[in-house]
Amino acid sequence: MGRYRTRAGAFVFGTVLTAVLTGLWSSASAAQSLRGSSRSLTVQNVQAQAHDFTYLRTPAHVQRFVDLGYLVPLRGNRDYDIDDEVSFPYARPQVRTFLERLAGQYRRACGEVMVVTSLTRPLNRQPRNASSRSVHPTGMAVDLRRSNHRPCRAWLEDVLLSLEANGVLEATRESRPPHYHIALFPEPYTRYVDDLATSAVQATETRVAAATDAGAATAAEDAGVGAAGSGPYRVRRGDALWDIARAHGTTIAAIQRSNNLGNSRIHPGQLLTIPADGVPSLRDAAPGSYRVRRGDALWDIARAHGTTIAAIQQSNNLLGSRIYPGQLLTIPAGGEVGVQQAINLSYRVQRGDSLWDIARAHGTTIAALRRSNNLLGSRIYPGQVLTIPTQFR
């Protein structure tokens, strides 16, 4: 499927956003800025509604979503820190991906570590100066401390404006305290990153083919080309381990192990060995088992194996989404078979659930859930029993 995915959820999602946002974007000024506006808040809330995100009310509500795997922990790394004032260091999985990518590029560009000052905030813990329309309670927002160095500010603002122009986020420069508020749009961002990876792989394949035709394998190596999934790769300026791993169908951890790297720091001209096993970190053997590694989340493992959080939970008798390094998980046989096993069930709605969360956990779509349960909208209530559709593609 890749960039040309045909899932009903993606189609419905795109149709809804196109219809609702066209008027908002067409009325906006052609020149973008980070000043913020009522229109920007409206776009953020429309996106939250299109994703069917829940506005979390209390700390207990946040913890429930963490336990279910809808929110994932952010612990910081060499590229970014979590400020001590962040009470709830959790966000949607795509926000973590966005932050890790951005922070790595930011540190290489200006030599600073990025600092996160806010993530998910429940409604009853919003600061006094927060907008009543804030999307922080949904887990799709992150605040970044504004640097004291002008070149760093200029670099970050250029990147944010570029991503905003691509329709994957809305960013606002705030002054009290000085920070950047970023509302990430998970589905558009996922498609955007997938397209980048597809383009990188296609470019690599083209260069490898050209080198092979010329009978110059060594020249290909010197040019920084490695066959997708195996062989050497020479690092280029601006590369990040995340980008290299994604382009070659492997993971950061796998590349680090293959090259005895203690961290994610790489430098232009460095020659890396790309593991030949595709994705040994997240796809050890499918079907089969998987040993959890530090930093893994059920969402990442499910996505890598073509299954769902619910399917893995069912196969391993997990009541929540908490896993630990070294834990051995059974991966449902056949990828999509695991999805079918998980969705041939009914589901009793619990407090704090939304259709988006239920659909994501069971590997289906909001539209499919609505059809199977004769729902006209997205309103559900605790105790309600939903039929999970067995055919949704």
Side-chain angles (χ1 to χ4, degrees):
M1 295 191 292
R3 63 189 299 182
Y4 300 107
R5 288 178 292 179
T6 58
R7 289 193 301 177
F11 174 78
V12 171
F13 180 88
T15 302
V16 171
L17 285 188
T18 299
V20 176
L21 295 179
T22 297
L24 293 172
W25 282 327
S26 62
S27 64
S29 167
Q32 291 180 300
S33 73
L34 298 173
R35 289 195 294 262
S37 64
S38 176
R39 181 201 68 85
S40 179
L41 284 171
T42 299
V43 170
Q44 294 174 41
N45 278 268
V46 167
Q47 284 278 354
Q49 292 167 23
H51 285 80
D52 205 22
F53 280 162
T54 299
Y55 285 73
L56 305 177
R57 300 181 300 276
T58 64
H61 204 174
V62 172
Q63 187 58 53
R64 170 169 170 71
F65 270 50
V66 173
D67 292 341
L68 290 171
Y70 303 151
L71 298 177
V72 296
L74 283 81
R75 301 184 177 90
N77 57 28
R78 289 182 59 87
D79 301 323
Y80 77 95
D81 286 333
I82 305 295
D83 189 84
D84 292 339
E85 296 299 317
V86 177
S87 301
F88 304 93
Y90 312 107
R92 299 285 173 174
Q94 298 90 335
V95 173
R96 184 173 68 180
T97 298
F98 161 75
L99 185 59
E100 290 176 350
R101 282 173 54 84
L102 180 67
Q105 295 163 0
Y106 177 82
R107 186 174 61 81
R108 287 191 301 278
C110 67
E112 286 187 354
V113 172
M114 186 171 281
V115 179
V116 175
T117 59
S118 185
L119 288 160
T120 301
R121 292 195 309 250
L123 289 168
N124 71 349
R125 295 293 181 89
Q126 291 281 76
R128 291 182 179 180
N129 63 342
S131 168
S132 60
R133 301 163 67 192
S134 170
V135 294
H136 274 287
T138 68
M140 62 185 279
V142 56
D143 289 352
L144 303 176
R145 181 176 297 163
R146 198 187 320 168
S147 173
N148 293 325
H149 298 96
R150 182 173 296 179
C152 294
R153 294 197 302 271
W155 182 93
L156 182 56
E157 291 180 8
D158 283 346
V159 171
L160 293 177
L161 287 172
S162 174
L163 292 173
E164 190 172 283
N166 276 283
V168 302
L169 58 76
E170 282 285 317
T172 304
R173 183 175 51 236
E174 304 281 1
S175 58
R176 297 181 182 177
H179 70 276
Y180 298 99
H181 165 76
I182 302 165
L184 186 78
F185 309 150
E187 288 294 336
Y189 179 71
T190 298
R191 291 196 295 270
Y192 172 80
V193 173
D194 285 346
D195 285 346
L196 288 179
T198 300
S199 298
V201 170
Q202 289 174 343
T204 297
E205 290 174 346
T206 299
R207 293 195 299 271
V208 170
T212 301
D213 291 342
T218 55
E221 179 183 320
D222 290 340
V225 179
S230 64
Y233 176 79
R234 193 171 296 281
V235 179
R236 297 181 173 185
R237 185 175 300 279
D239 278 348
L241 273 188
W242 193 96
D243 302 305
I244 297 171
R246 189 71 178 257
H248 289 82
T250 185
T251 65
I252 292 175
I255 294 178
Q256 287 174 324
R257 285 196 302 274
S258 297
N259 294 274
N260 296 318
L261 300 178
N263 51 53
S264 297
R265 181 172 294 176
I266 53 178
H267 56 81
Q270 182 177 0
L271 194 64
L272 297 177
T273 297
I274 305 299
D277 298 334
V279 190
S281 168
L282 288 178
R283 293 187 66 91
D284 287 347
S289 61
Y290 172 73
R291 192 170 297 281
V292 178
R293 293 178 169 85
R294 186 175 301 279
D296 282 348
L298 273 189
W299 190 90
D300 303 308
I301 298 170
R303 175 127 181 188
H305 287 85
T307 184
T308 66
I309 292 174
I312 294 178
Q313 287 172 323
Q314 184 183 35
S315 297
N316 295 273
N317 296 317
L318 301 177
L319 298 179
S321 295
R322 289 183 178 174
I323 53 178
Y324 55 87
Q327 183 177 2
L328 192 63
L329 297 177
T330 298
I331 303 300
E336 296 303 323
V337 175
V339 175
Q340 286 299 111
Q341 291 173 343
I343 62 178
N344 286 327
L345 300 169
S346 40
Y347 176 78
R348 187 176 298 279
V349 178
Q350 301 184 46
R351 186 174 301 278
D353 282 346
S354 72
L355 277 187
W356 190 93
D357 300 311
I358 296 170
R360 193 65 177 256
H362 290 86
T364 184
T365 66
I366 294 172
L369 282 175
R370 285 173 176 157
R371 286 194 301 271
S372 297
N373 295 275
N374 297 317
L375 301 177
L376 298 179
S378 296
R379 182 170 295 176
I380 53 177
Y381 55 86
Q384 181 178 2
V385 177
L386 297 178
T387 298
I388 306 298
T390 58
Q391 297 294 333
F392 57 87
R393 291 188 185 278

